[in-house]
Amino acid sequence: MKKILIIGTGGTIASGNMGEGLTPIMNAEQLLNFVPAVKKICRVECIQPFCMDSTNICPEHWVQLAVLLHRQYDQYDGFVICHGTDTMAYTAAALSYLVQGAKKPIILTGAQKPISFDSTDSRVNLTDAVICASSDRLHGVMVVFNGKVIQGTRACKTNSKSYAAFSSINYPYLGVLRDGRLFPYIENAYLDKPVFTDQLDSRVALLKLIPGTKSSLVSFMLEQNDGLIIEAFGVGGLPDYAGNDLLSVIEDGVKNGKTVVLTTQVQNEGSDIRVYQVGYRAYRCPRILEAFDMTTEAVCAKLMWILARTDDMERIQKLFYTPVSNDIFDYS
């Protein structure tokens, strides 16, 4: 039988109602008591690095998980991380950069309702995650939720309440689960020895444009951060208001060593800033990066990973456009 490590971090799956809303109160060992059938699938051990609502998870927690995985990697055949749904896609993306090329499955899962509730998705999701962590056909970081296996860099929470909480954005599902059976579709590439990293630059910000966004806001965010991601309109239009030129502010920022990525607010099909005049001006500035078909979660995590490694613009650009865990179509 495979030996699997379950890593508890809190989240809805581990929550109970303490009088002021749901709060994580259970550890990984307690979660296992609700799914005794798991012991027939594999040998399981548990660890609890922290227990919190995923709303409170920060980049330092991603690094903590990556360090834990590095230390435990040789002792186990697969890993299941029980995590809150609200920031699960960010954690999955971050771990995809911090732990690259893993042959062993690293599965994130959680639930929309606590495991102690009579009506809950927790038990199925946790069982499915263990099945996937025990598979020889799945590799690297993935989200397993509602019977779907999603690439860690492509997961996005698209429903706030229903059990079908996560979707795979601009990329096929890696597999599905039905009645306790895994049907893998895509097998990820892997390395004999995965590459672990334990540094991120958390000075990365995200700005979602709205009609009338002031260039002074862009200027402030560039001053306060090393990298800025701008969710523009449509395929990547960047407004140019009379006396309020956002592009000029961005160009000044990149000249001063800041990294700027343009992406789209539209969830599916990605950006193409060359299509309209409002985007083409930005396209002509070679120092402005374009996210294309990447998720915002992946862009955030990748930029933190890159900026912790280098401040050289040419290397930043090369690393950003180099696919990692199928995060971006190869535009080279």
PDB file of all heavy atoms in Angstrom, residues 118-145:
ATOM      1  N   ASP A 118     -24.072  16.776   8.208  1.00  0.00           N
ATOM      2  CA  ASP A 118     -24.691  15.609   7.571  1.00  0.00           C
ATOM      3  C   ASP A 118     -24.640  15.722   6.051  1.00  0.00           C
ATOM      4  O   ASP A 118     -24.355  14.753   5.348  1.00  0.00           O
ATOM      5  CB  ASP A 118     -26.147  15.465   8.037  1.00  0.00           C
ATOM      6  CG  ASP A 118     -26.250  15.056   9.496  1.00  0.00           C
ATOM      7  OD1 ASP A 118     -25.286  14.436   9.996  1.00  0.00           O
ATOM      8  OD2 ASP A 118     -27.275  15.360  10.130  1.00  0.00           O
ATOM      9  N   SER A 119     -24.944  16.914   5.555  1.00  0.00           N
ATOM     10  CA  SER A 119     -24.879  17.166   4.118  1.00  0.00           C
ATOM     11  C   SER A 119     -23.587  17.911   3.830  1.00  0.00           C
ATOM     12  O   SER A 119     -23.470  19.110   4.104  1.00  0.00           O
ATOM     13  CB  SER A 119     -26.088  18.003   3.668  1.00  0.00           C
ATOM     14  OG  SER A 119     -25.986  18.349   2.301  1.00  0.00           O
ATOM     15  N   THR A 120     -22.596  17.200   3.319  1.00  0.00           N
ATOM     16  CA  THR A 120     -21.281  17.805   3.086  1.00  0.00           C
ATOM     17  C   THR A 120     -20.589  17.133   1.912  1.00  0.00           C
ATOM     18  O   THR A 120     -20.821  15.958   1.619  1.00  0.00           O
ATOM     19  CB  THR A 120     -20.394  17.681   4.343  1.00  0.00           C
ATOM     20  OG1 THR A 120     -19.105  18.250   4.070  1.00  0.00           O
ATOM     21  CG2 THR A 120     -20.214  16.225   4.763  1.00  0.00           C
ATOM     22  N   ASP A 121     -19.747  17.905   1.260  1.00  0.00           N
ATOM     23  CA  ASP A 121     -18.908  17.369   0.186  1.00  0.00           C
ATOM     24  C   ASP A 121     -17.532  16.954   0.696  1.00  0.00           C
ATOM     25  O   ASP A 121     -16.710  16.436  -0.060  1.00  0.00           O
ATOM     26  CB  ASP A 121     -18.763  18.403  -0.929  1.00  0.00           C
ATOM     27  CG  ASP A 121     -18.254  19.755  -0.420  1.00  0.00           C
ATOM     28  OD1 ASP A 121     -18.433  20.049   0.773  1.00  0.00           O
ATOM     29  OD2 ASP A 121     -17.699  20.523  -1.217  1.00  0.00           O
ATOM     30  N   SER A 122     -17.287  17.166   1.982  1.00  0.00           N
ATOM     31  CA  SER A 122     -15.955  16.944   2.555  1.00  0.00           C
ATOM     32  C   SER A 122     -15.468  15.518   2.405  1.00  0.00           C
ATOM     33  O   SER A 122     -14.318  15.267   2.018  1.00  0.00           O
ATOM     34  CB  SER A 122     -15.951  17.308   4.047  1.00  0.00           C
ATOM     35  OG  SER A 122     -16.290  18.649   4.251  1.00  0.00           O
ATOM     36  N   ARG A 123     -16.336  14.559   2.732  1.00  0.00           N
ATOM     37  CA  ARG A 123     -15.881  13.167   2.792  1.00  0.00           C
ATOM     38  C   ARG A 123     -15.538  12.628   1.412  1.00  0.00           C
ATOM     39  O   ARG A 123     -14.539  11.920   1.245  1.00  0.00           O
ATOM     40  CB  ARG A 123     -16.956  12.318   3.470  1.00  0.00           C
ATOM     41  CG  ARG A 123     -17.199  12.739   4.916  1.00  0.00           C
ATOM     42  CD  ARG A 123     -18.500  12.201   5.475  1.00  0.00           C
ATOM     43  NE  ARG A 123     -18.906  13.015   6.616  1.00  0.00           N
ATOM     44  CZ  ARG A 123     -20.084  12.925   7.213  1.00  0.00           C
ATOM     45  NH1 ARG A 123     -20.985  12.053   6.786  1.00  0.00           N
ATOM     46  NH2 ARG A 123     -20.367  13.699   8.238  1.00  0.00           N
ATOM     47  N   VAL A 124     -16.353  12.970   0.425  1.00  0.00           N
ATOM     48  CA  VAL A 124     -16.050  12.537  -0.944  1.00  0.00           C
ATOM     49  C   VAL A 124     -14.775  13.202  -1.439  1.00  0.00           C
ATOM     50  O   VAL A 124     -13.899  12.544  -2.027  1.00  0.00           O
ATOM     51  CB  VAL A 124     -17.231  12.850  -1.891  1.00  0.00           C
ATOM     52  CG1 VAL A 124     -16.828  12.593  -3.338  1.00  0.00           C
ATOM     53  CG2 VAL A 124     -18.441  12.009  -1.519  1.00  0.00           C
ATOM     54  N   ASN A 125     -14.632  14.510  -1.209  1.00  0.00           N
ATOM     55  CA  ASN A 125     -13.440  15.217  -1.683  1.00  0.00           C
ATOM     56  C   ASN A 125     -12.167  14.675  -1.045  1.00  0.00           C
ATOM     57  O   ASN A 125     -11.144  14.495  -1.720  1.00  0.00           O
ATOM     58  CB  ASN A 125     -13.562  16.716  -1.395  1.00  0.00           C
ATOM     59  CG  ASN A 125     -14.517  17.416  -2.336  1.00  0.00           C
ATOM     60  OD1 ASN A 125     -14.912  16.869  -3.359  1.00  0.00           O
ATOM     61  ND2 ASN A 125     -14.907  18.636  -1.983  1.00  0.00           N
ATOM     62  N   LEU A 126     -12.210  14.413   0.254  1.00  0.00           N
ATOM     63  CA  LEU A 126     -11.022  13.917   0.940  1.00  0.00           C
ATOM     64  C   LEU A 126     -10.669  12.507   0.463  1.00  0.00           C
ATOM     65  O   LEU A 126      -9.497  12.198   0.222  1.00  0.00           O
ATOM     66  CB  LEU A 126     -11.242  13.934   2.452  1.00  0.00           C
ATOM     67  CG  LEU A 126     -10.059  13.496   3.322  1.00  0.00           C
ATOM     68  CD1 LEU A 126      -8.796  14.270   2.966  1.00  0.00           C
ATOM     69  CD2 LEU A 126     -10.395  13.681   4.808  1.00  0.00           C
ATOM     70  N   THR A 127     -11.680  11.670   0.295  1.00  0.00           N
ATOM     71  CA  THR A 127     -11.430  10.314  -0.218  1.00  0.00           C
ATOM     72  C   THR A 127     -10.871  10.365  -1.630  1.00  0.00           C
ATOM     73  O   THR A 127      -9.898   9.661  -1.961  1.00  0.00           O
ATOM     74  CB  THR A 127     -12.720   9.484  -0.189  1.00  0.00           C
ATOM     75  OG1 THR A 127     -13.234   9.445   1.150  1.00  0.00           O
ATOM     76  CG2 THR A 127     -12.471   8.069  -0.668  1.00  0.00           C
ATOM     77  N   ASP A 128     -11.469  11.209  -2.484  1.00  0.00           N
ATOM     78  CA  ASP A 128     -10.970  11.349  -3.860  1.00  0.00           C
ATOM     79  C   ASP A 128      -9.523  11.842  -3.868  1.00  0.00           C
ATOM     80  O   ASP A 128      -8.698  11.395  -4.686  1.00  0.00           O
ATOM     81  CB  ASP A 128     -11.840  12.328  -4.646  1.00  0.00           C
ATOM     82  CG  ASP A 128     -13.176  11.727  -5.062  1.00  0.00           C
ATOM     83  OD1 ASP A 128     -13.364  10.509  -4.912  1.00  0.00           O
ATOM     84  OD2 ASP A 128     -14.041  12.496  -5.550  1.00  0.00           O
ATOM     85  N   ALA A 129      -9.200  12.759  -2.965  1.00  0.00           N
ATOM     86  CA  ALA A 129      -7.840  13.299  -2.907  1.00  0.00           C
ATOM     87  C   ALA A 129      -6.833  12.214  -2.543  1.00  0.00           C
ATOM     88  O   ALA A 129      -5.741  12.146  -3.114  1.00  0.00           O
ATOM     89  CB  ALA A 129      -7.776  14.443  -1.903  1.00  0.00           C
ATOM     90  N   VAL A 130      -7.208  11.343  -1.609  1.00  0.00           N
ATOM     91  CA  VAL A 130      -6.323  10.251  -1.213  1.00  0.00           C
ATOM     92  C   VAL A 130      -6.142   9.264  -2.366  1.00  0.00           C
ATOM     93  O   VAL A 130      -5.039   8.770  -2.612  1.00  0.00           O
ATOM     94  CB  VAL A 130      -6.865   9.545   0.041  1.00  0.00           C
ATOM     95  CG1 VAL A 130      -6.093   8.259   0.320  1.00  0.00           C
ATOM     96  CG2 VAL A 130      -6.802  10.477   1.243  1.00  0.00           C
ATOM     97  N   ILE A 131      -7.222   8.989  -3.088  1.00  0.00           N
ATOM     98  CA  ILE A 131      -7.129   8.117  -4.273  1.00  0.00           C
ATOM     99  C   ILE A 131      -6.134   8.700  -5.276  1.00  0.00           C
ATOM    100  O   ILE A 131      -5.277   7.986  -5.818  1.00  0.00           O
ATOM    101  CB  ILE A 131      -8.517   7.937  -4.917  1.00  0.00           C
ATOM    102  CG1 ILE A 131      -9.427   7.110  -4.004  1.00  0.00           C
ATOM    103  CG2 ILE A 131      -8.399   7.277  -6.293  1.00  0.00           C
ATOM    104  CD1 ILE A 131     -10.876   7.088  -4.444  1.00  0.00           C
ATOM    105  N   CYS A 132      -6.233   9.998  -5.516  1.00  0.00           N
ATOM    106  CA  CYS A 132      -5.332  10.648  -6.478  1.00  0.00           C
ATOM    107  C   CYS A 132      -3.894  10.676  -5.966  1.00  0.00           C
ATOM    108  O   CYS A 132      -2.949  10.496  -6.742  1.00  0.00           O
ATOM    109  CB  CYS A 132      -5.820  12.060  -6.767  1.00  0.00           C
ATOM    110  SG  CYS A 132      -7.354  12.127  -7.721  1.00  0.00           S
ATOM    111  N   ALA A 133      -3.721  10.903  -4.672  1.00  0.00           N
ATOM    112  CA  ALA A 133      -2.376  10.926  -4.095  1.00  0.00           C
ATOM    113  C   ALA A 133      -1.716   9.558  -4.153  1.00  0.00           C
ATOM    114  O   ALA A 133      -0.484   9.452  -4.102  1.00  0.00           O
ATOM    115  CB  ALA A 133      -2.427  11.420  -2.653  1.00  0.00           C
ATOM    116  N   SER A 134      -2.526   8.503  -4.297  1.00  0.00           N
ATOM    117  CA  SER A 134      -2.010   7.131  -4.373  1.00  0.00           C
ATOM    118  C   SER A 134      -1.799   6.659  -5.809  1.00  0.00           C
ATOM    119  O   SER A 134      -1.385   5.522  -6.035  1.00  0.00           O
ATOM    120  CB  SER A 134      -2.983   6.178  -3.667  1.00  0.00           C
ATOM    121  OG  SER A 134      -3.218   6.569  -2.330  1.00  0.00           O
ATOM    122  N   SER A 135      -2.081   7.530  -6.772  1.00  0.00           N
ATOM    123  CA  SER A 135      -2.012   7.140  -8.181  1.00  0.00           C
ATOM    124  C   SER A 135      -0.589   7.208  -8.730  1.00  0.00           C
ATOM    125  O   SER A 135       0.204   8.076  -8.347  1.00  0.00           O
ATOM    126  CB  SER A 135      -2.916   8.056  -9.011  1.00  0.00           C
ATOM    127  OG  SER A 135      -2.731   7.841 -10.391  1.00  0.00           O
ATOM    128  N   ASP A 136      -0.283   6.308  -9.659  1.00  0.00           N
ATOM    129  CA  ASP A 136       0.984   6.344 -10.386  1.00  0.00           C
ATOM    130  C   ASP A 136       0.892   7.190 -11.658  1.00  0.00           C
ATOM    131  O   ASP A 136       1.901   7.392 -12.340  1.00  0.00           O
ATOM    132  CB  ASP A 136       1.417   4.927 -10.766  1.00  0.00           C
ATOM    133  CG  ASP A 136       1.777   4.076  -9.557  1.00  0.00           C
ATOM    134  OD1 ASP A 136       2.388   4.612  -8.618  1.00  0.00           O
ATOM    135  OD2 ASP A 136       1.425   2.876  -9.551  1.00  0.00           O
ATOM    136  N   ARG A 137      -0.309   7.669 -11.979  1.00  0.00           N
ATOM    137  CA  ARG A 137      -0.538   8.390 -13.238  1.00  0.00           C
ATOM    138  C   ARG A 137      -0.611   9.912 -13.053  1.00  0.00           C
ATOM    139  O   ARG A 137      -0.660  10.646 -14.037  1.00  0.00           O
ATOM    140  CB  ARG A 137      -1.846   7.902 -13.876  1.00  0.00           C
ATOM    141  CG  ARG A 137      -1.850   6.444 -14.293  1.00  0.00           C
ATOM    142  CD  ARG A 137      -1.127   6.223 -15.599  1.00  0.00           C
ATOM    143  NE  ARG A 137      -1.675   7.047 -16.666  1.00  0.00           N
ATOM    144  CZ  ARG A 137      -2.783   6.747 -17.365  1.00  0.00           C
ATOM    145  NH1 ARG A 137      -3.450   5.626 -17.086  1.00  0.00           N
ATOM    146  NH2 ARG A 137      -3.201   7.530 -18.333  1.00  0.00           N
ATOM    147  N   LEU A 138      -0.641  10.363 -11.818  1.00  0.00           N
ATOM    148  CA  LEU A 138      -0.741  11.795 -11.550  1.00  0.00           C
ATOM    149  C   LEU A 138       0.558  12.281 -10.931  1.00  0.00           C
ATOM    150  O   LEU A 138       1.121  11.632 -10.053  1.00  0.00           O
ATOM    151  CB  LEU A 138      -1.914  12.092 -10.614  1.00  0.00           C
ATOM    152  CG  LEU A 138      -3.309  11.738 -11.132  1.00  0.00           C
ATOM    153  CD1 LEU A 138      -4.362  12.025 -10.067  1.00  0.00           C
ATOM    154  CD2 LEU A 138      -3.639  12.494 -12.419  1.00  0.00           C
ATOM    155  N   HIS A 139       1.001  13.475 -11.377  1.00  0.00           N
ATOM    156  CA  HIS A 139       2.282  14.000 -10.925  1.00  0.00           C
ATOM    157  C   HIS A 139       2.168  15.495 -10.662  1.00  0.00           C
ATOM    158  O   HIS A 139       1.485  16.219 -11.385  1.00  0.00           O
ATOM    159  CB  HIS A 139       3.368  13.762 -11.979  1.00  0.00           C
ATOM    160  CG  HIS A 139       3.351  12.386 -12.567  1.00  0.00           C
ATOM    161  ND1 HIS A 139       3.703  11.270 -11.854  1.00  0.00           N
ATOM    162  CD2 HIS A 139       2.988  11.948 -13.809  1.00  0.00           C
ATOM    163  CE1 HIS A 139       3.585  10.200 -12.616  1.00  0.00           C
ATOM    164  NE2 HIS A 139       3.151  10.589 -13.812  1.00  0.00           N
ATOM    165  N   GLY A 140       2.846  15.958  -9.621  1.00  0.00           N
ATOM    166  CA  GLY A 140       2.907  17.382  -9.352  1.00  0.00           C
ATOM    167  C   GLY A 140       1.727  17.892  -8.556  1.00  0.00           C
ATOM    168  O   GLY A 140       0.974  17.141  -7.940  1.00  0.00           O
ATOM    169  N   VAL A 141       1.549  19.210  -8.576  1.00  0.00           N
ATOM    170  CA  VAL A 141       0.547  19.893  -7.754  1.00  0.00           C
ATOM    171  C   VAL A 141      -0.781  19.971  -8.496  1.00  0.00           C
ATOM    172  O   VAL A 141      -0.839  20.429  -9.642  1.00  0.00           O
ATOM    173  CB  VAL A 141       1.031  21.313  -7.385  1.00  0.00           C
ATOM    174  CG1 VAL A 141      -0.018  22.027  -6.541  1.00  0.00           C
ATOM    175  CG2 VAL A 141       2.367  21.254  -6.647  1.00  0.00           C
ATOM    176  N   MET A 142      -1.838  19.539  -7.821  1.00  0.00           N
ATOM    177  CA  MET A 142      -3.180  19.522  -8.412  1.00  0.00           C
ATOM    178  C   MET A 142      -4.221  19.882  -7.363  1.00  0.00           C
ATOM    179  O   MET A 142      -3.994  19.703  -6.170  1.00  0.00           O
ATOM    180  CB  MET A 142      -3.498  18.121  -8.973  1.00  0.00           C
ATOM    181  CG  MET A 142      -2.675  17.706 -10.165  1.00  0.00           C
ATOM    182  SD  MET A 142      -2.567  15.896 -10.312  1.00  0.00           S
ATOM    183  CE  MET A 142      -1.294  15.543  -9.110  1.00  0.00           C
ATOM    184  N   VAL A 143      -5.368  20.339  -7.827  1.00  0.00           N
ATOM    185  CA  VAL A 143      -6.553  20.507  -6.992  1.00  0.00           C
ATOM    186  C   VAL A 143      -7.531  19.399  -7.353  1.00  0.00           C
ATOM    187  O   VAL A 143      -7.819  19.185  -8.540  1.00  0.00           O
ATOM    188  CB  VAL A 143      -7.213  21.889  -7.207  1.00  0.00           C
ATOM    189  CG1 VAL A 143      -8.585  21.952  -6.534  1.00  0.00           C
ATOM    190  CG2 VAL A 143      -6.308  22.995  -6.676  1.00  0.00           C
ATOM    191  N   VAL A 144      -8.021  18.687  -6.347  1.00  0.00           N
ATOM    192  CA  VAL A 144      -9.045  17.658  -6.558  1.00  0.00           C
ATOM    193  C   VAL A 144     -10.293  18.093  -5.814  1.00  0.00           C
ATOM    194  O   VAL A 144     -10.272  18.262  -4.583  1.00  0.00           O
ATOM    195  CB  VAL A 144      -8.555  16.288  -6.061  1.00  0.00           C
ATOM    196  CG1 VAL A 144      -9.693  15.273  -6.083  1.00  0.00           C
ATOM    197  CG2 VAL A 144      -7.398  15.803  -6.925  1.00  0.00           C
ATOM    198  N   PHE A 145     -11.364  18.285  -6.563  1.00  0.00           N
ATOM    199  CA  PHE A 145     -12.581  18.857  -5.972  1.00  0.00           C
ATOM    200  C   PHE A 145     -13.780  18.497  -6.842  1.00  0.00           C
ATOM    201  O   PHE A 145     -13.727  18.623  -8.066  1.00  0.00           O
ATOM    202  CB  PHE A 145     -12.450  20.388  -5.893  1.00  0.00           C
ATOM    203  CG  PHE A 145     -13.175  21.016  -4.741  1.00  0.00           C
ATOM    204  CD1 PHE A 145     -12.499  21.331  -3.564  1.00  0.00           C
ATOM    205  CD2 PHE A 145     -14.531  21.296  -4.813  1.00  0.00           C
ATOM    206  CE1 PHE A 145     -13.160  21.913  -2.500  1.00  0.00           C
ATOM    207  CE2 PHE A 145     -15.197  21.869  -3.761  1.00  0.00           C
ATOM    208  CZ  PHE A 145     -14.509  22.188  -2.595  1.00  0.00           C
TER     209      PHE A 145
END
